[in-house]
Amino acid sequence: MLKALLLTIIANAHGANGPITCDFPSFETGETPIRVVLEPKPSLKDQPGLFRVQMDLNGKVSVTASAQPILATEDRDIMIRGLSEKQAMYTIGFREDGRAALNMEMLRESDSKILTATRIGECRDFEAHLDRWLPL
């Protein structure tokens, strides 16, 4: 009960107001567009510069992920990375203007080859979360 109350206070104090939605269109015939919904999940285990997020891809894959600032750039941008139970890694980077990139790495079990794919897209409804996650 106390933990639920504290998590509610944390979420409200940081202005969390719903999920972030990112769309990555298909550019080749036969590819499926990808919609990623990022639901920030404030936790007492959050650390400075590392925040919990639930990542949902097209309603089919859901992974726990971490959001952290990208310190190697001068832009206000964030990286969110999650690892599925099947050892697929999903990484989204997006910046203050909403432009985003999704990188997916999956291990093909038949020959142990790592398959990668990258999509460019846009995120929306992220402003309050970005302000909370990035240092001023």
Side-chain angles (χ1 to χ4, degrees):
M1 174 74 170
L2 179 60
K3 185 175 180 180
L5 178 62
L6 287 172
L7 289 175
T8 301
I9 291 169
I10 289 170
N12 291 335
H14 292 299
N17 55 346
I20 299 165
T21 303
C22 302
D23 289 307
F24 300 94
S26 59
F27 292 104
E28 294 185 24
T29 304
E31 283 186 339
T32 302
I34 299 172
R35 171 167 281 176
V36 180
V37 177
L38 303 164
E39 182 75 44
K41 299 289 184 185
S43 167
L44 295 175
K45 294 181 181 181
D46 283 348
Q47 303 171 21
L50 191 65
F51 306 92
R52 293 179 188 273
V53 176
Q54 191 66 36
M55 182 186 294
D56 180 84
L57 292 94
N58 282 355
K60 296 179 181 179
V61 176
S62 184
V63 298
T64 300
S66 296
Q68 63 188 57
I70 301 174
L71 300 176
T73 67
E74 293 181 16
D75 295 328
R76 287 178 44 86
D77 45 16
I78 199 89
M79 177 183 64
I80 300 172
R81 179 175 288 157
L83 184 65
S84 76
E85 291 178 9
K86 294 183 178 184
Q87 301 300 307
M89 173 131 359
Y90 302 96
T91 306
I92 293 178
F94 68 88
R95 59 186 189 206
E96 195 169 29
D97 65 1
R99 294 291 296 154
L102 168 65
N103 186 65
M104 300 169 285
E105 296 180 7
M106 297 164 216
L107 178 64
R108 185 167 60 192
E109 293 182 13
S110 62
D111 59 4
S112 297
K113 183 177 180 180
I114 296 177
L115 305 173
T116 62
T118 301
R119 296 269 186 99
I120 303 300
E122 300 265 344
C123 294
R124 63 185 173 282
D125 303 323
F126 59 84
E127 293 81 2
H129 305 295
L130 195 67
D131 287 342
R132 180 171 63 96
W133 294 336
L134 293 177
L136 298 177

